[in-house]
Amino acid sequence: AVRLCLSYLPVINQSKVLRKCLIDLERDSRASRDYDRHTLVLTLYSECLGKLVTRKETRVKALEAETLRVQRRFDVLALLSTTFESYPWEKRPEYSKMFEPLPLDPFSPPTKRKMCSVLGFEESGDVFDPLAPLHDILDHSGANSMAGALASLCSMVQLPPGYLHARSLIVRFRKLRGSSDGLPKVESSVIPVIKKLVSPADKADLAWWCSSQYASGSVEQLHCLDLAHSNATTASEEIESLQGRASKEDERAALDRVKRIDTARAILSDHILVDKVLEQNNSSDLVQKVYKSIIRKVQKVSAEKESYCPEHFVRELLIEGSLAAALASLDDCDGFTTVHFRSLAILVHDACKLLASRYTHIFVGRVARILARRWMINGDDASDSNVDYSSMKTTDLLANSDNSEKKLSDALLSD
């Protein structure tokens, strides 16, 4: 009956009527899961477009672009109809939300929003996320097999390959973080998904996000940061190879990504290294408690700095270690004896020694002697010093050691 009514109209008018029906149907949220109705309207509209193109109507390019928009909708509907044929109506994905609305005028350039990144979940109204309607499906068990069945959807909605697997991983991690279940190993969950992505920048961003989901200071978190760093470096090198053809914003974003990931990786790697000291020494519970409090304070100080330097880490470790040992020794209630003092000193010494072994330019003994000279002159209050030791590297500290010795000599002579 519909075809018969349309046959009395010129082809151009048929296309206008059907296009209006298609726009209204996609706006109707109640019909967003009615795949058969969408397929019927798309079929009729596609036939009209085919007649217009073969007639060599004016503005052929606009008609071809419209035909491609319709064809992508056809492909998605076919995939969804096959995959969710046995699903209840209310659990089907909302098809119409996977595409931006058709432009009101098919012959005017469409206004497109920015497509979502590999992470999705953008809250900005300027970003369009065609995978958002699939979140409820990916949130259930068997999400991996569902992502595999819908993998071809990425090209249909004009997203890079692997984005659907990445979104499935993100939805899965968020669900596990909200429950008592632990996150899966990086080798079995993150790496297979990263291999499906094409862009090194997307791989780096996904690995960086995954690192934030694992427990702070864990080996899994460091593994993710290693993956993120290697891919961020590759992405930066690719932009550099364009030799000026890339925008300044892209170059800056690539460099900032490498710097951010490298800093986080260095901090975490050093923290894991100093944590191993407890495994290598048989210390009492009291000493371990004090040592862990020292590490937490040093980690906090390191994270607050704009740029990370291992010299700062060693310096703060010595300062916080000596301060914690002194305070614990003065507290009679803790029972912190000379034996505990010596055991804590060994832990801090071994931690600094491990860092010096990793960074050959660090000389722990010299840093300790410079700090001792500083304390002898200024005491615990560093405000009397004209030198900002907190922003110096070991080489800078050594350059100021002669001045410290001169101040010490003058002070002794004046007495």
Side-chain angles (χ1 to χ4, degrees), residues 11 34-35 53 65 70 161 172 211 259 265 282-283 296 302 322 331 333 350 370 385 389 392 407:
V11 177
D34 192 345
Y35 300 160
V53 172
V70 172
R172 179 186 176 194
S211 71
K259 183 179 179 181
R265 186 179 67 131
N282 295 323
S283 305
R296 284 196 298 270
S302 300
S322 59
D331 191 349
C333 299
D350 289 349
I370 293 169
S385 175
Y389 289 88
M392 283 188 166
K407 287 184 180 180

Side-chain angles (χ1 to χ4, degrees), residues 128-318:
F128 177 64
D129 185 0
L131 299 182
L134 298 174
H135 287 180
D136 291 340
I137 295 295
L138 298 175
D139 191 25
H140 291 77
S141 59
N144 289 335
S145 59
M146 180 60 68
L150 298 175
S152 59
L153 190 69
C154 290
S155 61
M156 300 176 188
V157 295
Q158 296 181 295
L159 287 177
Y163 266 44
L164 187 59
H165 286 86
R167 187 64 58 84
S168 176
L169 178 68
I170 292 172
V171 171
R172 179 186 176 194
F173 269 33
R174 289 194 169 193
K175 181 179 180 181
L176 292 174
R177 282 291 299 272
S179 64
S180 58
D181 298 332
L183 297 180
K185 295 290 185 180
V186 174
E187 291 83 357
S188 60
S189 59
V190 179
I191 292 180
V193 174
I194 286 182
K195 289 181 178 180
K196 295 182 182 297
L197 296 172
V198 177
S199 168
D202 288 338
K203 295 180 180 181
D205 290 341
L206 179 61
W208 169 261
W209 182 88
C210 291
S211 71
S212 66
Q213 304 304 302
Y214 284 99
S216 178
S218 64
V219 177
E220 298 296 325
Q221 187 181 42
L222 179 60
H223 196 170
C224 286
L225 288 175
D226 287 336
L227 291 171
H229 183 264
S230 61
N231 285 287
T233 303
T234 302
S236 179
E237 291 174 351
E238 287 184 354
I239 290 181
E240 289 180 4
S241 65
L242 297 177
Q243 298 179 351
R245 286 175 290 171
S247 64
K248 295 294 183 182
E249 291 77 11
D250 291 340
E251 293 179 358
R252 190 180 302 109
L255 292 175
D256 289 344
R257 183 193 291 113
V258 173
K259 183 179 179 181
R260 180 182 73 247
I261 296 174
D262 185 53
T263 299
R265 186 179 67 131
I267 294 175
L268 179 59
S269 178
D270 289 349
H271 291 173
I272 293 177
L273 186 67
V274 297
D275 286 340
K276 290 182 179 179
V277 173
L278 291 175
E279 302 174 2
Q280 300 170 358
N281 292 271
N282 295 323
S283 305
S284 64
D285 294 340
L286 178 58
V287 173
Q288 291 187 18
K289 180 181 178 181
V290 175
Y291 179 77
K292 290 179 180 178
S293 67
I294 295 170
I295 297 301
R296 284 196 298 270
K297 290 180 180 179
V298 174
Q299 289 175 349
K300 183 179 179 181
V301 172
S302 300
E304 291 174 352
K305 293 185 179 296
E306 293 183 0
S307 59
Y308 174 74
C309 291
E311 295 92 340
H312 294 158
F313 195 92
V314 171
R315 176 183 175 276
E316 295 298 330
L317 193 58
L318 291 171

Side-chain angles (χ1 to χ4, degrees), residues 44-188:
L44 295 174
Y45 184 44
S46 179
E47 291 175 357
C48 287
L49 289 176
K51 294 176 182 178
L52 289 175
V53 172
T54 56
R55 287 188 176 190
K56 297 183 179 180
E57 295 280 348
T58 58
R59 295 177 283 188
V60 174
K61 289 185 178 180
L63 290 174
E64 291 176 347
E66 181 79 354
T67 302
L68 288 176
R69 287 192 286 265
V70 172
Q71 185 59 48
R72 284 195 293 269
R73 285 167 163 77
F74 256 130
D75 295 339
V76 171
L77 275 173
L79 180 62
L80 295 180
S81 299
T82 303
T83 306
F84 300 100
E85 182 179 7
S86 60
Y87 277 63
W89 179 280
E90 64 277 4
K91 291 190 176 182
R92 289 181 174 185
E94 295 184 272
Y95 148 80
S96 57
K97 293 184 178 180
M98 295 183 183
F99 293 94
E100 292 193 81
L102 290 172
L104 295 178
D105 184 1
F107 300 109
S108 62
T111 56
K112 287 188 176 182
R113 288 182 290 175
K114 179 183 177 183
M115 294 296 280
C116 65
S117 68
V118 67
L119 301 179
F121 293 98
E122 287 94 345
E123 297 180 357
S124 172
D126 297 332
V127 178
F128 177 64
D129 185 0
L131 299 182
L134 298 174
H135 287 180
D136 291 340
I137 295 295
L138 298 175
D139 191 25
H140 291 77
S141 59
N144 289 335
S145 59
M146 180 60 68
L150 298 175
S152 59
L153 190 69
C154 290
S155 61
M156 300 176 188
V157 295
Q158 296 181 295
L159 287 177
Y163 266 44
L164 187 59
H165 286 86
R167 187 64 58 84
S168 176
L169 178 68
I170 292 172
V171 171
R172 179 186 176 194
F173 269 33
R174 289 194 169 193
K175 181 179 180 181
L176 292 174
R177 282 291 299 272
S179 64
S180 58
D181 298 332
L183 297 180
K185 295 290 185 180
V186 174
E187 291 83 357
S188 60

